[in-house]
Amino acid sequence: MNVPFLIAWRYFRSKKKRNIISIISNISMIGVAVGTMALIIVLSVFNGLEDLVRSLYGKSDPDLKITAVQGKSFPVDAFLVGRLRSVPGVQLVTEVIEDNALLRYHERQMVVKVKGVSENYYQQSEIDSAIVDGTHQLRRNGEDFALIGAGVQHELSIALENRFAPLLLLYPRNTPGKKTLSINPETAFNQEPILAGGVFSIEQHVDDSYIFVPLGFAQRLLRYDNRRTALEVKVGPKRPLADVQAELKQVLGPGYAVLDSDEQHVSLLKAIKVEKMFVFITFAFILLIASLNIFFSLSMLVIDKRKDVAVLMAMGATPNIIRRVFLMEGAIVAQVGAVVGLSLGVGICWLQQRFGLVSMGMATSVVDSYPVKMQASDVLWVGVAIVFITIAVSIRPALNAPQIDLRENL
């Protein structure tokens, strides 16, 4: 029989009159409940944002991306591609050339990211499902077409398949022995015209800056010849992605980086995780401040129950048992509030996932309502924080509880 717990539970349930101790204890429970609820909701929102970022970039990101460790390009030949395709689990290898270029349309212009891809690109990318106008095909009837982002189209007011005014892409021409550009645009830049064949909408950063073109067009414009900025690999379902990634690293050696989806956007995902960590710390401090009422209620309870303590000690209770009584009392108050807050937080997150109660408030947003995702690890960390806070605010009153004069209180 756990005597300290039974006594603490009796103290918790026997507050029939609305004295100041009862009021402070109730305020403590409400504060812990609200803090726990807010912490669960905020952490779930950050989880939802992280998943949203992955889903948005997943439409255009490969399973694995091979880049050079030093420099922005590396030579690619049939032998290298063949070695990659021979790795078990590799289903497809796409050659990519990507660089900045100047896009000019009528009298307007802007700097864009030109991404040249080989013909098998759409066999591994889901970008064709993000087409909002035109078609995703980059080459039709022997003619090259560009697939432009919705933000690029809006910025330059581009009309699709306008043969009277095609897109004009310009890239600085590298002249051996010269480090400066000529003031004559005709000699300073490589120029290639191309028709806009389709418009995609994935994510604002991509929509506002990217243009997809055939690999041959990018070779002519950027003068990359047999060099590529990346090789994108599609992994089959029969072998784990991590195993294929590890084997590709062994095949290619230290001069190449093999990146999975998260590593391709490591800065963005890391920023979300860092923000989530700081929000957790901030709300944990707020929860600690809200839990200070437990300290005051326990301190007053120790004074109010000093005769009970004297009787218990006269009956043979040790100081350790007395301390445990009041530690249990603080734990009960905190845990009841935590369970209520956790239930409310999980319930609100479930309602948001199911019905989208809180909308983004923007007609152009990629989702209608705030994304949320509950994780068991968040509940675990919140529980750990509450246990630490309970001990921190309860230990001082509990230590003072046995320090009474028996002769005065018996």
Side-chain angles (χ1 to χ4, degrees), residues 152-226:
V152 176
Q153 183 195 34
H154 180 267
E155 180 70 22
L156 301 183
S157 302
I158 298 173
L160 297 184
E161 300 190 33
N162 184 1
R163 297 186 178 275
F164 295 101
L167 306 178
L168 184 63
L169 286 162
L170 298 92
Y171 185 77
R173 180 175 297 171
N174 295 324
T175 304
K178 291 186 177 181
K179 296 183 179 180
T180 58
L181 290 175
S182 170
I183 61 174
N184 184 359
E186 294 184 357
T187 60
F189 292 92
N190 299 323
Q191 303 183 29
E192 291 288 340
I194 191 171
L195 294 176
V199 180
F200 65 85
S201 179
I202 300 176
E203 190 270 336
Q204 185 176 1
H205 172 71
V206 179
D207 298 345
D208 290 348
S209 58
Y210 267 83
I211 287 184
F212 290 84
V213 298
L215 185 67
F217 179 89
Q219 284 180 286
R220 295 194 303 272
L221 173 68
L222 306 176
R223 298 294 194 268
Y224 267 62
D225 298 328
N226 70 328

Side-chain angles (χ1 to χ4, degrees), residues 256-273:
Y256 297 86
V258 183
L259 311 175
D260 60 20
S261 182
D262 285 356
E263 290 170 340
Q264 293 170 41
H265 305 288
V266 63
S267 298
L268 181 58
L269 293 175
K270 187 176 181 180
I272 294 176
K273 291 182 183 295

Side-chain angles (χ1 to χ4, degrees), residues 63-132:
D63 295 334
L64 295 173
K65 183 177 182 180
I66 300 172
T67 60
V69 173
Q70 294 183 348
K72 64 179 182 179
S73 66
F74 54 93
V76 174
D77 53 24
F79 177 72
L80 176 61
V81 175
R83 288 175 61 198
L84 298 178
R85 288 175 178 168
S86 65
V87 174
V90 173
Q91 189 172 340
L92 200 67
V93 178
T94 300
E95 300 178 33
V96 174
I97 297 175
E98 183 177 327
D99 208 338
N100 293 322
L102 180 67
L103 173 62
R104 181 178 295 169
Y105 184 74
H106 289 303
E107 300 300 323
R108 309 177 74 176
Q109 61 186 22
M110 66 180 295
V111 176
V112 295
K113 283 272 191 181
V114 177
K115 184 172 182 177
V117 294
S118 52
E119 295 180 359
N120 60 2
Y121 179 70
Y122 292 110
Q123 297 179 31
Q124 69 164 309
S125 173
E126 298 179 4
I127 193 174
D128 53 338
S129 64
I131 302 300
V132 295

Side-chain angles (χ1 to χ4, degrees), residues 140-407:
R140 286 175 273 159
N141 301 322
E143 188 175 7
D144 292 335
F145 288 85
L147 185 60
I148 62 177
V152 176
Q153 183 195 34
H154 180 267
E155 180 70 22
L156 301 183
S157 302
I158 298 173
L160 297 184
E161 300 190 33
N162 184 1
R163 297 186 178 275
F164 295 101
L167 306 178
L168 184 63
L169 286 162
L170 298 92
Y171 185 77
R173 180 175 297 171
N174 295 324
T175 304
K178 291 186 177 181
K179 296 183 179 180
T180 58
L181 290 175
S182 170
I183 61 174
N184 184 359
E186 294 184 357
T187 60
F189 292 92
N190 299 323
Q191 303 183 29
E192 291 288 340
I194 191 171
L195 294 176
V199 180
F200 65 85
S201 179
I202 300 176
E203 190 270 336
Q204 185 176 1
H205 172 71
V206 179
D207 298 345
D208 290 348
S209 58
Y210 267 83
I211 287 184
F212 290 84
V213 298
L215 185 67
F217 179 89
Q219 284 180 286
R220 295 194 303 272
L221 173 68
L222 306 176
R223 298 294 194 268
Y224 267 62
D225 298 328
N226 70 328
R227 301 186 70 84
R228 305 289 183 263
T229 57
L231 293 175
E232 298 185 352
V233 178
K234 182 178 182 180
V235 178
K238 296 183 179 180
R239 194 175 183 203
L241 182 69
D243 293 349
V244 178
Q245 183 181 16
E247 188 163 346
L248 286 175
K249 288 181 178 179
Q250 291 181 351
V251 170
L252 293 170
Y256 297 86
V258 183
L259 311 175
D260 60 20
S261 182
D262 285 356
E263 290 170 340
Q264 293 170 41
H265 305 288
V266 63
S267 298
L268 181 58
L269 293 175
K270 187 176 181 180
I272 294 176
K273 291 182 183 295
V274 170
E275 289 179 3
K276 179 181 174 181
M277 180 186 68
F278 277 104
V279 166
F280 175 81
I281 294 174
T282 303
F283 272 80
F285 273 110
I286 294 174
L287 189 59
L288 175 62
I289 294 173
S291 301
L292 287 178
N293 286 320
I294 298 177
F295 171 83
F296 296 117
S297 66
L298 282 182
S299 299
M300 297 179 68
L301 186 65
V302 169
I303 298 173
D304 185 60
K305 300 297 183 182
R306 60 184 181 273
K307 291 187 177 181
D308 293 357
V309 172
V311 171
L312 289 172
M313 295 183 69
M315 294 173 62
T318 63
N320 186 45
I321 292 177
I322 302 301
R323 295 188 190 100
R324 288 172 58 192
V325 168
F326 291 97
L327 279 175
M328 288 289 182
E329 175 72 11
I332 290 172
V333 173
Q335 296 305 317
V336 169
V339 170
V340 172
L342 183 62
S343 301
L344 290 174
V346 171
I348 291 173
C349 290
W350 181 83
L351 290 173
Q352 178 67 12
Q353 284 180 322
R354 187 71 181 271
F355 303 106
L357 301 178
V358 182
S359 64
M360 296 294 287
M362 296 183 295
T364 57
S365 61
V366 294
V367 290
D368 296 330
S369 58
Y370 276 95
V372 294
K373 179 185 178 182
M374 291 174 286
Q375 291 183 350
S377 59
D378 293 337
V379 178
L380 177 63
W381 280 111
V382 171
V384 171
I386 292 173
V387 169
F388 175 78
I389 289 170
T390 302
I391 295 174
V393 300
S394 302
I395 192 162
R396 186 62 184 176
L399 290 175
N400 291 336
Q403 299 175 6
I404 63 170
D405 190 336
L406 296 179
R407 292 172 297 178

